[in-house]
């Protein structure tokens, strides 16, 4: 079965870039991305590709190539569903904030709404693809809603989790380590395999049953997050013992069984996925009575919260146990470099902790909009200022905290920054990106995660 018309519900960080690349690579397939959020769709349609709602290196070129040819962004959800042979669901699945599973389980409200809408509109057979990360066995629920509320047409459900990382989304989509497709129906599976096989080597397209696919996505994120928490746990020990976490990471990473990637100690992981997916895994394990399994994975999140909180505490302690009224500059607000996404960013928790200590926070990030920082901080926003110039942000500060590993921070004229600060001038490097020796020579009191202060 050859797919000619794709619809994707959800024009977010996952739906937008993924569909743009499918459209780029399959010019004979019409791809329509729909979303309830009109402002977001308008931004995807903006003539100026610099204004796309998602910042990803290289995405502007992909969109410029395909948009208007076979890639469309629209708010007409019913129409796009009606026309499509294959419908991707890529709406957000936040952690549930009410009722049973509050703070842990995935909220599937938007998924269910999508399923009901598809059932209502569909007049011919459709393949429905779960792109959103979902708890295991959600496909079953989707199928039940579709079959019981539909117009008597056939629905085949596939699970096709997305493994792209933000900041490298286009690269990851062009050259994925693997593409995973879970399903029951061979014809449906093959039709999605054929789409990816246009540009992904066939041996990298894995097919499994639906539940393995759903669980693999949660497991992949849990393992990745676990590595960060593991190295962060060691970072605290390094600070006490005089070992250097970068040296430890290099030494263990050269063991080919461990490997060098994802061993960078930091102020804590963020992003929309890691915490949410682990909590989801914990909830699923608990729901089957697997308490040891649940506790094991929950510890990854507990360690991460500890890492964020001790970073803020260390700033207060080092600044003579008070930051009240002191200007502290935060460089970076995004949860990692090369993205404007701030979901679960460690910077948010660190800022809130410092605001609670009455610090005067000044924030600079090269890509995050002030309106986003305002949303992230809520009522705490009145205690901070956002600067568009990093040197101005640092002027007159008692301390600088590096929260995101943006490349430009390494290139700054740190002597100039030092000269403009109060003395002693403190730098807390939450990403281990600055040159310790050079910073000390300039005169900074420089503290990096995972190494002692000497
Ligand atoms: C993705 C995945 O889909 C999610 O499962 C994963 O765990 C996190 O990343 P993402 O693309 O990052 O989500 O989310 P977001 O940027 O919030 O985009 C979701 C979009 O869906 C939003 O633009 C929202 O307006 C839209 N939406 C949501 C709908 O169009 N309809 C709905 O009913 C709900
Ligand atoms: C992650 C997964 O990598 C991706 O496969 C999945 O589809 C979505 O979730 P993402 O959240 O975009 O992607 O970014 P990632 O590069 O995994 O980083 C997550 C967080 O961990 C960031 O805050 C990052 O700074 C932090 N991190 C990562 C570290 O602190 N140290 C590391 O060594 C690696």
């Amino acid at each position: 079965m050859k797919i000619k018309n794709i619809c994707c519900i959800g024009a977010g960080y996952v739906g937008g870039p993924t569909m743009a690349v499918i459209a780029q690579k399959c010019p004979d397939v019409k791809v329509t991305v729909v979303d309830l959020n009109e402002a977001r769709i308008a931004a995807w349609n903006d003539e100026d590709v610099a204004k796309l709602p998602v910042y990803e290196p290289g995405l502007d070129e992909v969109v410029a190539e395909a948009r208007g040819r076979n890639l469309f962004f629209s708010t007409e959800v019913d129409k796009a569903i009606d026309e499509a042979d294959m419908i991707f669901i890529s709406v957000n699945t936040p952690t549930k904030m009410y009722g049973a599973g509050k703070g842990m389980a995935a909220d599937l409200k938007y998924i269910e709404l999508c399923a009901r809408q598809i059932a209502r509109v569909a007049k011919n057979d459709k393949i429905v693809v779960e792109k959103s990360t979902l708890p295991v066995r959600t496909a079953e629920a989707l199928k039940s809603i579709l079959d019981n509320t539909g117009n008597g047409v056939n629905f085949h459900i596939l699970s096709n989790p997305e493994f792209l990382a933000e900041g490298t989304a286009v690269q990851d989509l062009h050259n994925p380590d693997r593409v995973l497709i879970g399903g029951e129906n061979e014809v449906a599976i093959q039709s999605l395999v054929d789409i990816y096989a246009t540009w992904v080597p066939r041996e990298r397209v894995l097919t499994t049953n639906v539940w393995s696919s759903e669980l693999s996505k949660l497991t992949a994120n849990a393992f990745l997050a676990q590595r960060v928490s593991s190295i962060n746990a060691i970072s605290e020990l390094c600070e006490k013992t005089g070992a250097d976490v970068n040296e430890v990471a290099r030494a263990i990473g050269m063991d080919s069984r461990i490997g060098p990637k994802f061993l960078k100690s930091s102020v804590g992981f963020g992003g929309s996925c890691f915490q949410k997916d682990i909590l989801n895994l914990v909830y699923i394990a608990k729901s089957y009575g697997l308490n040891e399994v649940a506790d094991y994975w929950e510890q990854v999140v507990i360690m991460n919260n500890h890492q964020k909180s001790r970073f803020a505490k260390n700033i207060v302690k080092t600044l003579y146990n008070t930051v009240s009224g002191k200007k502290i500059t935060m460089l970076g607000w995004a949860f990692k470099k090369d993205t404007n996404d701030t979901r679960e960013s460690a910077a948010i928790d660190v800022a809130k902790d410092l605001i609670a200590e009455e610090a005067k926070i000044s924030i600079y990030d090269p890509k995050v909009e002030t309106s986003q920082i305002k949303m992230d901080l809520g009522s705490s926003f009145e205690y901070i200022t956002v600067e568009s110039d990093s040197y101005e942000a640092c002027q007159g500060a008692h301390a600088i905290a590096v929260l995101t590993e943006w490349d430009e921070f390494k290139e700054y004229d740190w002597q100039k920054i030092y000269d403009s600060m109060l003395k002693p001038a403190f730098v807390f490097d939450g990403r281990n990106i600055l040159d310790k020796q050079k910073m000390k020579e300039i005169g900074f009191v420089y503290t990096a995660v995972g190494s002692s202060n000497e």
Side-chain angles (χ1 to χ4, degrees), residues 23-38:
Q24 180 197 29
K25 298 292 184 183
C26 307
D28 51 343
V29 179
K30 181 180 173 191
V31 180
T32 308
V33 191
V34 293
D35 201 296
L36 294 176
N37 183 334
E38 287 180 15

Side-chain angles (χ1 to χ4, degrees), residues 220-221 224-225 228 262 269-279 301:
N221 275 343
L224 290 168
V228 178
F262 248 76
F269 62 72
S272 70
C273 291
F274 282 1
Q275 174 168 314
K276 170 171 76 71
D277 291 353
I278 291 178
L279 292 177
V301 173

Side-chain angles (χ1 to χ4, degrees), residues 127-183:
I127 298 171
V128 176
V129 187
E130 300 176 343
K131 196 56 155 165
S132 302
T133 305
L134 296 169
V136 187
R137 302 200 92 100
T138 305
E140 241 177 15
L142 264 181
K143 178 125 183 80
S144 163
I145 295 169
L146 288 167
D147 288 347
N148 286 300
T149 61
N151 306 313
V153 301
N154 289 315
F155 293 104
H156 295 298
I157 318 286
L158 299 177
S159 157
N160 172 222
E162 186 47 62
F163 295 102
L164 68 81
E166 286 176 31
T168 53
V170 173
Q171 198 181 310
D172 295 343
L173 286 163
H174 279 161
N175 191 20
D177 286 346
R178 79 317 206 172
V179 167
L180 181 56
I181 299 172

Side-chain angles (χ1 to χ4, degrees), residues 10 12-14 35-36 40 90-93 132-133 272 276 343:
Y13 283 90
V14 173
D35 201 296
L36 294 176
R40 207 165 222 194
S90 189
V91 297
N92 42 335
T93 49
S132 302
T133 305
S272 70
K276 170 171 76 71
R343 289 177 289 180

Side-chain angles (χ1 to χ4, degrees), residues 365-384:
D365 186 286
K367 283 285 176 222
V368 178
E369 309 263 351
T370 305
S371 57
Q372 182 60 50
I373 298 177
K374 193 170 179 179
M375 261 175 359
D376 295 335
L377 285 175
S379 57
S380 301
F381 184 74
E382 59 179 295
Y383 302 104
I384 61 126

Side-chain angles (χ1 to χ4, degrees), residues 256-321:
S256 60
R257 294 168 302 176
I258 296 176
K261 291 182 186 166
F262 248 76
L263 284 179
K264 260 197 99 38
S265 175
S266 65
V267 55
F269 62 72
S272 70
C273 291
F274 282 1
Q275 174 168 314
K276 170 171 76 71
D277 291 353
I278 291 178
L279 292 177
N280 200 343
L281 198 61
V282 169
Y283 182 72
I284 294 169
K286 279 198 180 143
S287 72
Y288 286 102
L290 308 179
N291 293 327
E292 289 76 8
V293 177
D295 292 348
Y296 176 77
W297 287 108
E298 190 167 15
Q299 199 59 38
V300 173
V301 173
I302 293 172
M303 186 64 222
N304 195 52
N305 289 337
H306 171 65
Q307 188 77 351
K308 291 187 275 191
S309 124
R310 77 181 188 87
F311 185 80
K313 282 198 188 113
N314 186 39
I315 294 179
V316 178
K317 187 171 143 229
T318 311
L319 296 186
Y320 316 107
N321 287 312

